[in-house]
Amino acid sequence: MGYVADRWHKTRHRPDEPECGEHKGKVATKCHGKGKRWQARYDDPTGREVTSVWATKVEAEQEIVRQEAAKQTGSWLDPKAGRVTFEQFSLDTWLPAQSIIGRSEVEYLGALRRYAFPELGHREMRSIKPSEAGAWQKLLVSKYGLSGSYPNRVARYVRGVFRLAVIDRVISVSPFAQILAPALESSACHPPDVAEVHQLVTAAYHDRYATMIALDALTGLRSGELRGLRLSRIDFLRRTMLVDQQLVYEKGKGQYFDELKTGAGRRTLPLTQGTVDLIAAYVARNPVPTAGPGAGLLFTMPAAGLIGESTIDYALKSICKRANVEPRHWHELRHHYASVLIAGGENPRVVQQRLGHKDVLTTMRTYAHLFAEAEERTRDVLDAAWADVRKADGEAESSGASGRIPESRADSGVVAQLRG
């Protein structure tokens, strides 16, 4: 249990020390008359002593009662913890606590430094109000000009900082608790169809790019996954491909191989026989290098050099020009793969797993319009399937034959619906 101390007077004093001029029977300390007189002292849940000063003894006693009660209920907060600034807590506590790879850490830190620290960095965590949190979110668009999904992404980082602060008992509630996050806007993708992909493959000016385009359309790999694909990851017998690394670029480090961002990114893809034959034929024409930076890679530049993202982007733009089609990006070949799966009737969960998305919501958000189109095709298929039945039923009625579904075996309302 805590106790109250009198800052202005000594609890132990020598007999020869003079009596306090204001308070009879007491001996003044050096801080007599300076600041608040009464000090509340108690131990926090870890056993560390916490102190605070108050004008009256009653206030100090009430503070101890409040803090002891909070300890009992598990709602105790360190009164001084919330004084840490947003920038300090983000750098010292939140960022190290994230289970992310190095490139993602650079991305998170860059977003905070550009959009959050200038506005909130100097503020104490406990001082930021919900109204200020909401106003900051609006600045992402009005001041910084962010668009698409980026305002939501940046806001998600900052909201995560405050969420961890609540968990760590730095603050009692996040200022974003009742504030809606920026809408997650994503423009509908319009991937190339099979005919266009075939045009691109035909127009490719190098065997390397023709094969990369075809393979990407057949597997939906990300650019880094495609450029970092090793021959050893292809199981020709089982017709599968293990996706477990990517080739990335980072300023100051150059190109290097890195693990995938999420556990869901690591996946084993089923390959068609045509895909297996495509890879085998390419390897026969272009043996995989055994030495150098590109050792073991399926696709390399001359002298086993690693292929940069800008290199294949430029190559695809040139190929699009040669094929006389609209400019495309490599990621649109990944969208093509997803669109083929969806059109073929694959459910969202399977599409998510094939693409290596973190969750099915990401898949649905990106390809919602394609699933809607697939639903419409389902209706067309059902209409076409029952068209012959309706036609035969109509002919039977006109000729007086009993070509009906017996009412005793089916609900009359269902029968009427099937007849259209």
Side-chain angles (χ1 to χ4, degrees):
M1 187 68 180
Y3 65 95
V4 175
D6 185 351
R7 295 179 58 249
W8 290 4
H9 301 102
K10 294 181 179 181
T11 55
R12 297 178 181 178
H13 56 84
R14 297 191 308 272
D16 60 337
E17 287 185 288
E19 186 179 81
C20 174
E22 295 184 28
H23 302 90
K24 188 175 181 180
K26 296 183 179 294
V27 175
T29 63
K30 291 182 180 180
C31 62
H32 185 279
K34 299 176 183 178
K36 296 178 180 179
R37 177 178 176 181
W38 301 99
Q39 186 179 61
R41 291 174 172 265
Y42 60 92
D43 292 338
D44 70 10
T46 67
R48 179 176 59 89
E49 187 178 63
V50 180
T51 64
S52 59
V53 291
W54 302 85
T56 67
K57 187 176 182 180
V58 171
E59 289 177 323
E61 290 172 339
Q62 290 175 341
E63 170 66 4
I64 291 175
V65 171
R66 282 195 298 268
Q67 298 300 339
E68 292 294 341
K71 284 161 57 178
Q72 293 297 321
T73 60
S75 60
W76 183 84
L77 291 176
D78 184 348
K80 298 178 182 178
R83 296 177 185 174
V84 63
T85 65
F86 172 78
E87 181 173 353
Q88 183 182 348
F89 185 82
S90 298
L91 297 177
D92 297 347
T93 306
W94 179 76
L95 201 57
Q98 305 308 301
S99 299
I100 52 178
I101 60 179
R103 290 184 304 105
S104 294
E105 184 172 327
V106 171
E107 177 189 330
Y108 287 18
L109 186 56
L112 290 175
R113 283 178 171 164
R114 285 191 296 271
Y115 311 118
F117 290 169
E119 312 293 339
L120 306 173
H122 63 287
R123 299 282 301 277
E124 291 183 354
M125 293 290 287
R126 64 180 183 177
S127 72
I128 299 173
K129 302 175 182 178
S131 58
E132 295 172 317
W136 170 79
Q137 286 190 161
K138 291 184 178 179
L139 289 179
L140 295 175
V141 176
S142 63
K143 179 177 178 179
Y144 294 102
L146 302 185
S147 59
S149 63
Y150 209 58
N152 179 274
R153 184 187 307 177
V154 175
R156 192 168 66 244
Y157 300 157
V158 174
R159 295 166 79 95
V161 173
F162 285 96
R163 187 160 51 248
L164 181 60
V166 173
I167 295 172
D168 275 4
R169 300 189 183 282
V170 173
I171 53 177
S172 59
V173 63
S174 168
F176 289 93
Q178 301 297 321
I179 304 297
L180 293 177
L184 189 54
E185 299 178 1
S186 57
S187 56
C189 63
H190 300 286
D193 57 19
V194 174
E196 185 177 336
V197 172
H198 184 263
Q199 281 182 270
L200 296 176
V201 172
T202 305
Y205 55 85
H206 195 286
D207 188 24
R208 178 194 313 113
Y209 299 126
T211 306
M212 291 180 79
I213 291 172
L215 184 59
D216 208 7
L218 290 164
T219 58
L221 297 180
R222 299 177 176 91
S223 169
E225 295 169 344
L226 180 66
R227 292 179 291 112
L229 180 61
R230 298 185 183 277
L231 181 61
S232 60
R233 301 309 193 264
I234 311 298
D235 189 327
F236 289 90
L237 181 62
R238 294 181 176 83
R239 295 186 297 172
T240 60
M241 171 191 293
L242 173 62
V243 184
D244 64 348
Q245 71 170 14
Q246 57 187 333
L247 183 60
V248 299
Y249 172 82
E250 189 175 328
K251 189 176 181 180
K253 294 180 65 174
Q255 292 196 94
Y256 63 95
F257 297 100
D258 198 6
E259 61 186 18
L260 303 176
K261 278 190 174 184
T262 64
R266 181 185 172 94
R267 59 201 187 277
T268 299
L269 296 175
L271 303 178
T272 66
Q273 187 59 49
T275 306
V276 172
D277 294 342
L278 173 74
I279 297 172
Y282 179 77
V283 172
R285 297 190 301 270
N286 305 273
V288 172
T290 57
L297 290 183
L298 194 59
F299 302 108
T300 58
M301 297 297 286
L306 302 178
I307 303 177
E309 186 170 11
S310 60
T311 300
I312 62 170
D313 284 346
Y314 177 80
L316 184 58
K317 285 182 174 62
S318 300
I319 293 169
C320 288
K321 201 170 188 180
R322 289 165 60 96
N324 197 28
V325 299
E326 63 177 291
R328 293 289 189 179
H329 189 274
W330 280 94
H331 210 73
E332 292 182 272
L333 295 172
R334 176 172 164 83
H335 292 329
H336 164 83
Y337 173 76
S339 69
V340 172
L341 295 184
I342 294 169
E346 289 285 21
N347 66 64
R349 180 68 68 180
V350 172
V351 178
Q352 173 216 340
Q353 293 170 350
R354 299 291 181 259
L355 294 173
H357 283 159
K358 181 175 62 175
D359 53 57
V360 74
L361 292 178
T362 302
T363 307
M364 291 301 298
R365 188 166 53 244
T366 307
Y367 303 111
H369 63 295
L370 296 182
F371 280 108
E373 291 172 7
E375 289 176 359
E376 191 59 40
R377 283 192 295 273
T378 298
R379 296 186 185 95
D380 293 340
V381 169
L382 290 171
D383 281 340
W386 282 94
D388 292 339
V389 174
R390 295 191 189 106
K391 182 179 178 182
D393 190 52
E395 292 174 351
E397 286 184 354
S398 62
S399 63
S402 65
R404 304 180 180 183
I405 300 175
E407 298 288 324
S408 60
R409 292 169 52 192
D411 178 80
S412 58
V414 175
V415 175
Q417 291 175 10
L418 291 177
R419 290 174 179 164

